[in-house]
């Protein structure tokens, strides 16, 4: 709060027209201590005596009446009575003071508001420390005004500081505070806390005076003049200008001050018109919220805003009117956030954290307007404000940023006949829509009033067994209302500090849900044959309870769990009424009704058990997947949150019985259950919930656990033949448009949860062949994602091959079967993990045994591409590590190798380009197979294989000792090659040089055969000259790998085949020269001259080469004479 040193202005004018100054002369002007004579409480006497009638009456008046009304009611109030009213008017509870100073949201301590808050740095704790260390001094109470000084001890970085603190109060509430510390915060500083607690804890040490106007009435003229003059003298620098101004105005007959009867008194208490509420600095609330929003979720701002929301809830629980006031200020800042318009303009969504804050804002307004004791004018004012915010264009929508809206179900209630008739036609539902609709709800229903106020409300003679009966067969009360709305009532009761009433209504709602569940089960059993024959189901719950904006199941669960914990701990704090009017009553008087509430529980049932059953009913409800990313994420998030809460509960025999009962209900519940035999295609899947149920039931009833999990495995939204919903019942289906490809934004998360459920079952079924087979069938039928099936295959493999036990062969077979399914699913689709999957499958098959490896090789064409089959599968199978791992004998090795060779040849036939080399490698040890593979290569060489593949296989052949076959393949490769004049860095150049070197080594005939192919395929002059030079250095066949005789003579350049190569090389240089000169730039001149030098070397190899080169240069000079600088360089070098 912005704490200022100057005093607040007086609230009202004080005068005593019936009193004369003479009758007051000589009366005591001093004060007495608060706990002095006549004090019924707060006195120092150790003996307890009955409270005086004066104190009882004064305390009640001080709590409820503004002091002005007391003055108006009685012509003269005796001084002792005034003193006791003033005494009792200060707050007596520390809870409110703690609430208004329990955390710091800015300034010097903002860093302490992180995850690990240092409580000693909170203003309330610091205030207690200052009080207990004797830092509070000069405490003075003048009427309804308390002042004092608080000394802040020196620290290594700060000197000692003395703060002047002033507090005004009225009807047991602090109405204004000021402090000299200059701290700016929403809540009270530590110095205000210290002074307040001093007055609460040590009232007998506080000097108490009547309001200053009362003291002045007791003075005569001389005393008043002396008083004023002394006051001006002591504070002349501060008050002299003001004193002179006031004196001038008073002496002027026509001045405004003389037109008013009486004079203001800051110590005289509140006027009749003043609102009686605790001091809240509205400006600081707005500034802090604005600051947090501007930080965009950084620096812990989201956490700080949540703390503010928690503070609002705390105020509501204390029935403090500032709760609604503070929420209004927060909402105004949220609505003014400039990002809303920016996001709307850009079409982008707000962040999840920010969206959750808006949800909490809407939920809090719902609580406020459902306050059972709020005045009609208050509700009307809130409704106007909510409608104003609701009409703003940028107001966030309830379901995030999606347009498809639900109908107005909140008012489709027994008491909703006078609801908002136009709400169904609203273009959209905002975060405030439900609160606006809730303004039409009331609490005057007599049945509802009996439920929440009477622990003994039963009707054992009630026999109306209709759907909307007021009591069940046991005579216990029921409450039929739109479930989220009914639960919003429970939340409102809890939020406004009515825990017992909330509990009573919660129990009635849960008993109603249990009765409805039983009746739905009976209804389905009676019509089961017809429904199953038709193969259709209907959506009975368009609005799911889990993920609903009002979180009905979470509300019921929390209400019952809090009561259950209180019961277990022996503390019934949840039922205490913390309002100031009842704080003095004993705990026993607050709690004696608690056991009576148990009359609406089954024999031996606890609130904990009821909470668990409620959560199970809500989680198992069949409900349609909502539209929009945010709404769908909320369904997942709320489900996981509720299950996390359930997991904190330790299961005992009673809870296991409830789990069994609900599991049976869910399996047999038909269209009302998400685990029924038939579900609507777009119902929310039950995988996460079923996994929890499976884990809980498995140790107690394995058969039931597997039934639940297997039933939940389905995901009909991905099934092309899924049953369509029964769209003929409009009261069940309001605005659902069937869509074969629904916008399920959370589908990947849902599929991962389906996978987790399957993995959990596989783990549990280890060692049980029958169960494993059933789970495998379910996985193959229901899971449609290859990556998830692959994960399950890997999981099964890990579980089956744990180090501390022998391999589970059945689970290994399941793993292999899943792996095979993945191979079939991904065979014709692109998958970046495909290579990893193939390797893993071979590893898995190896663990299963040699027959599994043989099987996958026999049926390779349904599982692998030819490349995968040869390069990964067959190669791995033929490796030494596999033979060692399987402990194969010679016969088994040969059989496996034979299968691998057969596979390799089949793959080479199907895809010779990619598999021929692998096939040759795999068939090396079998002559017939190797020859077959070689023939496949030759057959494919002329049509389907590239020169690169052929050169690779040719080199392999040379390496294996087949030079003539290598030569044959090299000549076939040359036929596919084409090197242009400027491709002097082409990757195939090395292959061409190798092929020529191979031919040269084999003999003159081979070289003579390949040179025409080279001349035809290669147009690059530098490559041709390199080949020519190599052929002239050694005699052909001298380094041959065979024993043919060679002539031992170098080949002549004047005869074939080298003459043909030489001519081709010279021609290539001439053509390349002309091509380069066409677009040559000066920076390439020197490089071109070097190129001509290399050309001259080749020309000179010919018999008449010198003449040819001279003619060539002359032609260049003539043709390109325009390039003077270049031709000059040519002349310098070549003449």
């Amino acid at each position: 709060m912005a704490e200022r040193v100057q005093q607040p202005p007086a609230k009202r004018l004080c005068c005593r027209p019936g009193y004369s100054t003479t009758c007051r002369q000589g009366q005591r002007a001093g004060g007495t201590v608060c706990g002095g004579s006549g004090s019924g409480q707060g006195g120092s006497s150790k003996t307890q005596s009955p409270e005086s009638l004066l104190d009882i009456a004064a305390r009640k008046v001080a709590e409820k009446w503004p002091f002005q009304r007391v003055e108006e009611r009685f012509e003269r109030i005796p001084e002792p009575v005034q003193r006791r009213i003033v005494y009792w008017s200060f707050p007596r509870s520390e809870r409110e003071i703690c609430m208004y100073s329990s955390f710091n949201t800015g300034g010097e301590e903002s860093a302490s508001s992180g995850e690990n808050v240092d409580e000693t740095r909170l203003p309330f704790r610091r205030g207690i420390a200052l009080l207990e260390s004797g830092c509070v001094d000069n405490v003075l109470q003048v009427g309804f005004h308390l002042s004092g000084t608080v000394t802040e001890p020196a620290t290594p970085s700060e000197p000692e500081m003395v703060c002047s603190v002033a507090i005004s109060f009225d009807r047991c509430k602090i109405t204004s505070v000021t402090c000299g510390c200059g701290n700016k915060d929403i809540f009270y500083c530590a110095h205000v806390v210290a002074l307040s607690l001093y007055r609460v804890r040590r009232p007998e040490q506080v000097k108490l005076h009547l309001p200053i106007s009362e003291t002045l009435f007791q003075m005569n003229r001389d005393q008043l003049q002396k008083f004023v003059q002394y006051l001006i003298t002591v504070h002349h620098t501060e008050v002299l200008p003001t004193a002179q101004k006031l004196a001038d105005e008073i002496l002027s007959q026509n001045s405004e001050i003389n037109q008013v009867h009486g004079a203001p008194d800051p110590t005289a208490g509140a006027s009749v018109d003043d609102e009686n509420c605790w001091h809240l600095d509205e400006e600081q609330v707005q500034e802090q919220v604005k600051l947090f929003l501007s930080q965009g979720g950084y620096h812990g701002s989201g956490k700080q805003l949540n703390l503010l929301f928690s503070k609002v809830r705390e105020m509501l629980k204390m029935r403090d009117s500032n709760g609604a006031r503070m929420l209004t200020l927060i909402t105004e800042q949220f609505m003014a956030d400039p990002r809303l318009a920016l996001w709307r303009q850009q079409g982008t969504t707000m962040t999840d954290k920010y969206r959750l804050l808006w949800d909490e804002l809407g939920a809090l307004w719902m609580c406020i307007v459902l306050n059972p004791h709020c005045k009609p004018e208050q509700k009307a004012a809130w409704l106007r404000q909510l409608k104003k915010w609701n009409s703003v264009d940028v107001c966030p929508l309830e379901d995030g940023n999606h347009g498809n809206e639900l109908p107005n179900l909140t008012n489709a209630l027994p008491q909703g006949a006078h609801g908002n008739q136009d709400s169904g036609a609203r273009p959209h539902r905002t975060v405030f829509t439900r609160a606006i609709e809730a303004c039409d709800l009331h609490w005057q229903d007599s049945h509802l009033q009996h439920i929440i106020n009477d622990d003994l409300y039963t009707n054992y003679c009630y026999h109306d067994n209709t759907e909307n009966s007021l009591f069940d067969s046991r005579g216990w009360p029921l409450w039929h209302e739109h479930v989220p709305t009914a639960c919003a009532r429970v939340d409102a009761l809890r939020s406004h500090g009515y825990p017992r009433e909330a509990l009573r209504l919660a129990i009635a709602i849960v008993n109603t849900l249990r009765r409805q569940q039983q009746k739905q089960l009976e209804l389905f059993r009676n019509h089961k044959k017809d429904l199953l024959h038709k193969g259709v189901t209907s959506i009975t719950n368009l609005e799911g309870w889990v993920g609903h904006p009002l979180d009905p199941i979470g509300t019921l669960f929390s209400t019952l769990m809090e009561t259950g914990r209180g019961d277990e701990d022996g503390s019934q704090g949840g039922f205490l009424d913390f309002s100031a009017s009842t704080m003095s009553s004993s705990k026993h008087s607050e709690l004696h009704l608690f056991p009576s509430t148990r009359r609406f529980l089954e024999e031996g049932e606890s609130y904990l058990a009821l909470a668990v059953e409620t959560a199970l009913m809500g989680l198992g409800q069949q409900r349609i997947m909502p539209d929009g990313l945010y709404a769908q994420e909320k369904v997942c998030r709320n489900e996981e949150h509720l299950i996390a809460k359930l997991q904190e509960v330790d299961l005992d025999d009673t809870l296991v019985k409830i789990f069994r009962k609900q599991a049976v209900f869910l399996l047999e519940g038909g269209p009302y259950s998400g685990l029924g035999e038939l579900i609507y295609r777009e119902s929310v899947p039950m995988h996460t919930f079923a996994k929890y149920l499976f884990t809980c039931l498995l140790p107690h009833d394995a058969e039931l656990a597997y039934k639940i999990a297997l039933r939940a495995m389905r995901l009909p939204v991905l099934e092309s033949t899924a049953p369509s919903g029964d769209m003929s019942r409009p009261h069940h289906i309001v605005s659902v448009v069937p869509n074969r490809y629904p916008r399920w934004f959370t589908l990947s998360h849902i599929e991962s949860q389906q996978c987790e459920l399957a993995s959990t079952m596989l783990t549990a079924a280890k060692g049980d062949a029958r169960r494993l087979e059933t789970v495998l069938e379910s996985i193959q039928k229901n899971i449609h994602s290859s990556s998830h099936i692959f994960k399950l295959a890997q999981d099964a493999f890990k579980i089956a091959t744990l180090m501390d036990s022998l391999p589970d062969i059945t689970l290994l077979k399941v793993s292999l079967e899943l792996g095979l399914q993945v191979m079939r699913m991904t065979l014709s689709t692109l998958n970046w993990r495909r290579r990893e999957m193939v390797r893993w499958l071979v590893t898995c098959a190896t663990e299963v045994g040699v027959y599994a490896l043989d099987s996958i090789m026999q049926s390779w064409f349904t599982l692998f591409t030819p490349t995968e089959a040869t390069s990964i599968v067959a190669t791995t199978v033929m490796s030494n590590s596999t033979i060692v791992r399987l402990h194969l004998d010679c016969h088994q090795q040969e059989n496996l190798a034979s299968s691998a060779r057969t596979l390799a040849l089949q793959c080479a036939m199907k895809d010779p380009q990619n598999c021929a080399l692998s096939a040759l490698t795999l068939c090396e040890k079998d002559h017939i197979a190797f020859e077959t593979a070689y023939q496949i290569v030759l057959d494919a060489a002329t049509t389907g294989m590239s020169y690169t593949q052929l050169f690779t296989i040719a080199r392999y052949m040379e390496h294996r000792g087949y030079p003539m076959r290598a030569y044959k393949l090299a000549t076939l490769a040359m036929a596919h090659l084409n090197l242009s004049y400027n491709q002097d860095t082409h990757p195939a150049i090395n292959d061409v040089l190798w092929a020529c070197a191979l031919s040269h080594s084999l003999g003159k005939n081979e070289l003579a055969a390949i040179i025409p192919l080279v001349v035809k395929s290669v147009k690059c002059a530098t490559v041709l000259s390199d080949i020519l030079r190599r052929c002239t250095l050694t005699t052909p066949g001298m380094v041959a790998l065979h024993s043919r005789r060679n002539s031992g003579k170098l080949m002549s350049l004047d005869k074939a085949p080298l003459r043909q190569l030489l001519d081709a090389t010279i021609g290539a240089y001439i053509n390349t020269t002309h091509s380069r000169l066409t677009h040559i730039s000066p920076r390439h001149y020197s490089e071109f001259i070097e190129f001509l030098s290399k050309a001259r070397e080749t020309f000179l190899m010919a018999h008449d080469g010198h003449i040819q080169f001279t003619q060539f240069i002359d032609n260049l000079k003539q043709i390109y004479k325009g390039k003077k600088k270049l031709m000059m360089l040519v002349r310098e070098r070549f003449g």
Side-chain angles (χ1 to χ4, degrees), residues 1028 1052-1064 1066 1101-1104 1108:
L1028 182 63
S1052 170
L1053 289 170
D1054 293 329
K1055 296 179 181 179
L1058 292 189
R1059 180 66 198 187
Q1060 185 182 359
L1061 180 59
L1062 177 59
D1063 291 343
I1066 291 172
M1101 294 175 74
H1103 179 69
D1104 54 349
Q1108 287 188 54

Side-chain angles (χ1 to χ4, degrees), residues 116-399:
N116 301 313
V117 178
D118 180 4
E119 286 200 3
T120 61
R121 299 301 299 161
L122 295 175
F124 186 73
R125 297 295 177 193
R126 287 177 54 225
I128 292 175
L130 289 170
L131 172 65
E132 293 176 346
S133 58
C135 295
V136 182
D137 202 5
N138 303 321
V139 182
L140 175 68
Q141 181 177 339
V142 180
F144 297 86
H145 186 274
L146 184 71
S147 62
T149 58
V150 181
T151 304
E152 188 81 57
T155 64
S157 58
E158 297 288 340
E160 181 181 277
M161 179 173 66
V162 179
C163 301
S164 297
V165 183
I167 298 173
S168 295
F169 51 92
D170 170 47
R171 284 168 278 179
C172 300
K173 294 182 176 69
I174 292 173
T175 55
S176 73
V177 298
T178 59
C179 181
C181 68
N183 182 46
K184 290 189 175 182
D185 200 350
I186 292 178
F187 299 116
Y188 306 161
C189 68
H191 314 112
V192 171
V193 172
L195 180 61
S196 303
L197 295 184
Y198 187 97
R199 173 62 178 79
V200 173
R201 296 183 181 185
R202 305 173 189 174
E204 73 283 353
Q205 297 179 20
V206 178
K207 199 169 186 180
L208 187 149
H209 299 264
L210 293 177
I212 193 67
S213 54
E214 289 290 327
T215 305
L216 294 177
F217 284 138
Q218 297 172 16
M219 297 182 186
N220 60 27
R221 186 193 177 286
D222 292 339
Q223 289 172 323
L224 283 170
Q225 183 163 358
K226 184 179 290 188
F227 171 77
V228 173
Q229 287 182 220
Y230 267 99
L231 181 64
I232 293 172
T233 302
V234 174
H235 299 288
H236 67 279
T237 55
E238 292 91 358
V239 303
L240 188 56
T242 306
Q244 186 60 54
K245 180 184 177 184
L246 290 172
D248 293 342
E249 290 186 12
I250 289 171
L251 291 172
S252 173
Q253 290 186 356
N254 297 325
S255 65
E256 186 179 344
I257 202 170
N258 284 324
Q259 308 303 315
V260 179
H261 189 60
D265 179 2
T267 67
S271 70
V272 176
D273 300 326
D274 287 341
E275 187 181 358
N276 181 225
C277 61
W278 285 78
H279 171 72
L280 180 68
D281 193 321
E282 296 189 2
E283 183 183 347
Q284 276 303 307
V285 172
Q286 292 172 319
E287 287 299 317
Q288 294 285 352
V289 174
K290 188 176 182 179
L291 173 66
F292 295 146
L293 289 174
S294 68
Q295 291 172 347
Y298 302 106
H299 313 295
S301 59
K303 180 177 175 59
Q304 294 290 2
L305 287 167
N306 276 317
L307 286 173
L308 281 180
F309 287 144
S310 298
K311 186 58 64 178
V312 171
R313 284 196 178 274
E314 190 180 350
M315 289 175 174
L316 296 180
K317 201 163 191 174
M318 300 284 282
R319 302 173 196 171
D320 187 333
S321 61
N322 277 339
R325 190 170 152 215
M326 186 169 171
L327 186 62
T328 301
L329 297 171
I330 293 171
T331 307
E332 285 173 349
Q333 292 305 309
F334 266 72
M335 289 299 296
D337 190 344
R339 291 179 297 172
L340 291 176
L342 185 65
W343 286 329
R344 174 63 63 91
Q345 183 181 356
Q346 295 176 344
T348 54
T349 58
M350 62 178 70
T351 62
D352 282 350
K353 286 184 180 179
Y354 191 55
R355 176 71 235 190
L356 290 172
L357 293 172
W358 274 102
D359 279 358
E360 179 65 5
L361 203 63
L364 281 169
W365 275 114
M366 188 82 177
C367 284
I368 283 174
V369 301
L370 278 177
N371 181 353
H373 291 168
C374 77
K375 298 175 183 176
E377 56 269 22
Q378 274 184 321
K379 187 180 281 190
W382 290 332
L383 180 59
R384 285 193 300 272
Q385 185 64 67
L386 287 166
K387 284 185 174 179
K388 179 183 173 184
W389 289 327
N390 189 67
S391 63
V392 178
D393 285 343
V394 296
C395 185
L397 303 184
E398 181 180 75
D399 63 348

Side-chain angles (χ1 to χ4, degrees), residues 583-613:
M583 270 302 288
S584 60
S585 58
S586 68
K587 273 193 179 181
H588 179 74
S589 66
E590 292 295 328
L591 306 177
H592 75 281
L593 288 176
F594 172 70
S596 302
T597 315
R598 286 188 174 278
R599 69 166 49 251
F600 300 125
L601 298 180
E602 296 282 0
E603 183 73 26
E605 191 175 38
S606 65
Y607 293 113
L608 176 65
L610 197 61
V612 169
E613 184 167 11

Side-chain angles (χ1 to χ4, degrees), residues 275-560:
E275 187 181 358
N276 181 225
C277 61
W278 285 78
H279 171 72
L280 180 68
D281 193 321
E282 296 189 2
E283 183 183 347
Q284 276 303 307
V285 172
Q286 292 172 319
E287 287 299 317
Q288 294 285 352
V289 174
K290 188 176 182 179
L291 173 66
F292 295 146
L293 289 174
S294 68
Q295 291 172 347
Y298 302 106
H299 313 295
S301 59
K303 180 177 175 59
Q304 294 290 2
L305 287 167
N306 276 317
L307 286 173
L308 281 180
F309 287 144
S310 298
K311 186 58 64 178
V312 171
R313 284 196 178 274
E314 190 180 350
M315 289 175 174
L316 296 180
K317 201 163 191 174
M318 300 284 282
R319 302 173 196 171
D320 187 333
S321 61
N322 277 339
R325 190 170 152 215
M326 186 169 171
L327 186 62
T328 301
L329 297 171
I330 293 171
T331 307
E332 285 173 349
Q333 292 305 309
F334 266 72
M335 289 299 296
D337 190 344
R339 291 179 297 172
L340 291 176
L342 185 65
W343 286 329
R344 174 63 63 91
Q345 183 181 356
Q346 295 176 344
T348 54
T349 58
M350 62 178 70
T351 62
D352 282 350
K353 286 184 180 179
Y354 191 55
R355 176 71 235 190
L356 290 172
L357 293 172
W358 274 102
D359 279 358
E360 179 65 5
L361 203 63
L364 281 169
W365 275 114
M366 188 82 177
C367 284
I368 283 174
V369 301
L370 278 177
N371 181 353
H373 291 168
C374 77
K375 298 175 183 176
E377 56 269 22
Q378 274 184 321
K379 187 180 281 190
W382 290 332
L383 180 59
R384 285 193 300 272
Q385 185 64 67
L386 287 166
K387 284 185 174 179
K388 179 183 173 184
W389 289 327
N390 189 67
S391 63
V392 178
D393 285 343
V394 296
C395 185
L397 303 184
E398 181 180 75
D399 63 348
N401 293 278
H402 203 268
N404 288 356
E405 301 303 331
L406 293 171
N408 175 6
L409 294 181
T410 306
N411 285 312
L413 312 171
Q415 55 167 283
H418 304 291
N420 297 339
Q421 299 300 320
D422 64 334
S423 59
R426 284 199 183 104
H428 56 242
R429 292 177 63 85
T430 73
V431 291
F432 301 118
T433 301
R434 291 185 186 274
I436 291 170
E437 292 170 354
C439 288
D440 293 322
L441 301 178
H442 59 76
W443 296 84
Q444 278 71 53
D445 185 279
S446 60
H447 183 57
L448 176 62
Q449 285 295 315
H450 281 302
I451 288 173
I452 65 177
N453 290 316
D454 189 356
D455 282 311
L456 305 175
Y457 183 47
T458 54
N459 189 337
Y460 298 111
C461 301
Y462 192 88
H463 297 300
D464 180 7
N465 199 29
T466 60
E467 187 175 344
N468 294 317
S469 57
L470 300 181
F471 298 88
D472 63 14
S473 57
R474 300 165 296 188
W476 294 0
L478 305 173
W479 180 242
H480 295 279
E481 188 174 29
H482 176 241
V483 174
T485 307
C487 294
R489 292 183 186 274
V490 175
D491 191 29
L493 288 169
R494 287 173 67 215
S495 299
H496 288 283
Y498 301 100
R500 286 171 297 170
E501 290 82 352
L503 177 64
R504 293 179 190 126
L505 182 56
I507 292 172
I509 293 169
V510 174
N511 284 331
T512 307
L513 294 180
R514 292 202 287 195
R515 180 175 179 270
Q516 286 175 348
Q517 188 185 49
Q518 183 64 46
K519 285 193 167 295
Q520 288 167 352
L521 180 62
E522 293 169 3
L523 180 67
F524 177 66
R525 282 174 175 167
N526 293 336
H527 299 87
K528 184 175 180 179
K529 288 183 179 179
D530 294 338
L531 283 171
L532 293 179
H533 177 70
K534 290 178 182 176
V536 296
T537 185
S538 60
I539 310 164
T540 58
N541 295 292
L542 191 62
E543 274 192 310
W545 298 335
V546 175
H548 191 280
L550 299 179
D551 191 21
I553 298 300
T555 298
L556 293 176
F557 184 78
S558 300
T559 304
L560 295 165

